[in-house]
Amino acid sequence: MKIVFFGTPQFAVPTLEKLLNHSEFEVLAVVTQPDKRRERGNKLIPSPVKTIATTHALPVCQPQSVKKNTETLTQLRQLDADVFVVVAYGQILSQKILDIPKLGCINLHGSILPKYRGAAPIQWCLHNGEKEAGITTMLMDAGMDTGAMLLKATTPVGLLENAQDLADRLAVIGADLLVETLLKLESKEIEPIPQDNSEATYAPLIQKQDYVLDWSKSAIQLHNQIRGFYPNCTATFRNKPLKISASAPFGSACDRELPPELQEIIPKLSHLSTVSDNPGEVVSITKGLGAIAQTGEGFLLLREVQLAGKRPQSGWDFVNGTRLTVGEVFGSGS
């Protein structure tokens, strides 16, 4: 089966590598986003997918706008591919492109469709406290993740798992699912299933305000926000920005899902009120772990933080480095 692969971030790499190493598939070319200037020196950095493609000496196409680039359209037609595989490419494909391959365009989407259509399904899945995540393969159409579904795979979500952790796992699960989808599609063992639009939910691009932590929310809400939008959620500490990239919630139905070393803390918090007039206040400091703050409901352990201009550090190193004391108050982000 001849394939053109569309993809950009690390999430797409396991699928591309799986296709390259499978005897039933021939990857003809890769389409990925243009190189971006990053890091010091303003150097142009290729996408993770381009890096893999270059290693395998594959032709790489990087149009600024794949919908408007007539040269790219011509190249795609000339390749005479059986199927286009699309994994987190980052641009919307035109109907002209969707119509090119014989078997259509197959997309690997990071959710259990029709839930979490859109740009950030894994992040919003965690933000909303879902207990299960998944991958769906679908036949693409002109809509935003609205095509007929082919195969699905699901996996439980750990309470302390963040968006990067989950994305890494789903990327591997998705690579196997995509291979299975292509093989069954070619042998006509799959019957595409239309999505029920009435059950659809959306996962839009994350905005700056989504990173702002509000201590009046419950501990589980704050925790889900921190891990869902990892590693960029912000509070303030001594009137300066503070990123909180890992946490653990206490005082909710999720207590039993905490690892044993964190469950040991629960009895020590039992004498504290679960509702405070001062959300964000440090109510306890646990040796080796870090500060525990009051929230609108329950308590939040700060497991990893980053002060402005500093590297990320453990919650315990943060306590020691700042000489944090019980009674200090974290402010909401801005």
Side-chain angles (χ1 to χ4, degrees), residues 148-175:
M149 301 176 293
L150 298 170
L151 295 178
K152 295 183 182 182
T154 61
T155 183
V157 177
L159 178 62
L160 300 186
E161 200 166 19
N162 65 35
Q164 186 61 61
D165 299 330
L166 183 55
D168 289 344
R169 286 206 300 115
L170 288 176
V172 175
I173 294 170

Side-chain angles (χ1 to χ4, degrees), residues 225-278:
Q225 183 181 358
I226 289 164
R227 68 190 185 124
F229 300 152
Y230 172 88
N232 295 313
C233 285
T234 58
T236 57
F237 173 68
R238 296 174 184 169
N239 297 316
K240 294 183 179 179
L242 177 73
K243 281 188 177 181
I244 302 177
S245 50
S247 59
F250 297 92
S252 74
C254 293
D255 281 357
R256 63 183 180 276
E257 298 177 38
L258 292 166
E261 64 271 19
L262 294 183
Q263 289 197 18
E264 292 176 3
I265 300 174
I266 297 172
K268 301 174 185 178
L269 298 174
S270 60
H271 68 286
L272 298 171
S273 171
T274 57
V275 178
S276 169
D277 291 332
N278 200 15

Side-chain angles (χ1 to χ4, degrees), residues 9 12 34 78-79 124 221-222 247 307 310 329:
Q78 290 174 344
L79 287 168
W124 286 103
Q221 286 176 316
L222 288 165
S247 59
L307 289 160
K310 304 291 184 179
V329 180

Side-chain angles (χ1 to χ4, degrees), residues 1-306:
M1 187 184 294
K2 295 179 180 180
I3 297 168
V4 174
F5 186 86
F6 292 69
T8 299
Q10 182 61 37
F11 182 78
V13 167
T15 301
L16 176 57
E17 290 180 327
K18 202 86 172 181
L19 296 174
L20 288 168
N21 293 321
H22 199 291
S23 60
E24 293 294 319
F25 308 125
E26 179 187 0
V27 181
L28 303 175
V30 163
V31 184
T32 189
Q33 293 275 53
D35 297 355
K36 291 188 176 180
R37 296 193 182 277
R38 296 192 184 100
E39 302 174 356
R40 293 181 180 178
N42 205 27
K43 294 181 180 179
L44 279 172
I45 306 297
S47 72
V49 162
K50 182 182 178 180
T51 300
I52 298 298
T54 303
T55 301
H56 289 266
L58 290 172
V60 177
C61 185
Q62 297 179 272
Q64 288 287 345
S65 173
V66 71
K67 292 175 69 174
K68 298 178 181 179
N69 193 304
T70 55
E71 182 181 347
T72 299
L73 190 62
T74 300
Q75 290 172 339
L76 290 173
R77 285 174 174 153
Q78 290 174 344
L79 287 168
D80 194 31
D82 296 306
V83 65
F84 291 171
V85 170
V86 183
V87 185
Y89 170 49
Q91 293 189 38
I92 296 174
L93 305 188
S94 67
Q95 190 63 51
K96 289 182 179 179
I97 294 174
L98 296 176
D99 290 340
I100 292 174
K102 303 176 183 69
L103 295 175
C105 296
I106 309 302
N107 178 235
L108 183 71
H109 186 70
S111 81
I112 308 168
L113 288 172
K115 295 184 71 173
Y116 299 111
R117 295 173 178 174
I122 295 171
Q123 291 89 335
W124 286 103
C125 168
L126 289 176
H127 174 275
N128 294 342
E130 299 285 0
K131 303 295 186 182
E132 184 179 63
I135 289 282
T136 306
T137 53
M138 66 175 171
L139 280 171
M140 294 178 69
D141 61 17
M144 174 65 76
D145 303 323
T146 55
M149 301 176 293
L150 298 170
L151 295 178
K152 295 183 182 182
T154 61
T155 183
V157 177
L159 178 62
L160 300 186
E161 200 166 19
N162 65 35
Q164 186 61 61
D165 299 330
L166 183 55
D168 289 344
R169 286 206 300 115
L170 288 176
V172 175
I173 294 170
D176 290 331
L177 190 70
L178 193 281
V179 167
E180 182 184 356
T181 298
L182 292 179
L183 294 175
K184 288 185 175 180
L185 194 66
E186 187 178 36
S187 60
K188 299 181 180 179
E189 295 179 56
I190 299 179
E191 186 67 36
I193 301 172
Q195 294 187 42
D196 184 345
N197 291 328
S198 68
E199 296 181 357
T201 60
Y202 290 89
L205 282 170
I206 300 165
Q207 305 297 322
K208 185 177 179 180
Q209 62 267 24
D210 294 323
Y211 297 125
V212 176
L213 296 173
D214 177 357
W215 294 97
S216 66
K217 292 181 179 178
S218 70
I220 189 62
Q221 286 176 316
L222 288 165
H223 173 68
N224 287 337
Q225 183 181 358
I226 289 164
R227 68 190 185 124
F229 300 152
Y230 172 88
N232 295 313
C233 285
T234 58
T236 57
F237 173 68
R238 296 174 184 169
N239 297 316
K240 294 183 179 179
L242 177 73
K243 281 188 177 181
I244 302 177
S245 50
S247 59
F250 297 92
S252 74
C254 293
D255 281 357
R256 63 183 180 276
E257 298 177 38
L258 292 166
E261 64 271 19
L262 294 183
Q263 289 197 18
E264 292 176 3
I265 300 174
I266 297 172
K268 301 174 185 178
L269 298 174
S270 60
H271 68 286
L272 298 171
S273 171
T274 57
V275 178
S276 169
D277 291 332
N278 200 15
E281 180 179 350
V282 177
V283 295
S284 179
I285 293 175
T286 301
K287 187 175 180 180
L289 292 175
I292 296 177
Q294 176 72 65
T295 70
E297 182 181 346
F299 307 101
L300 193 71
L301 169 66
L302 278 56
R303 297 170 53 230
E304 183 179 89
V305 303
Q306 184 177 5

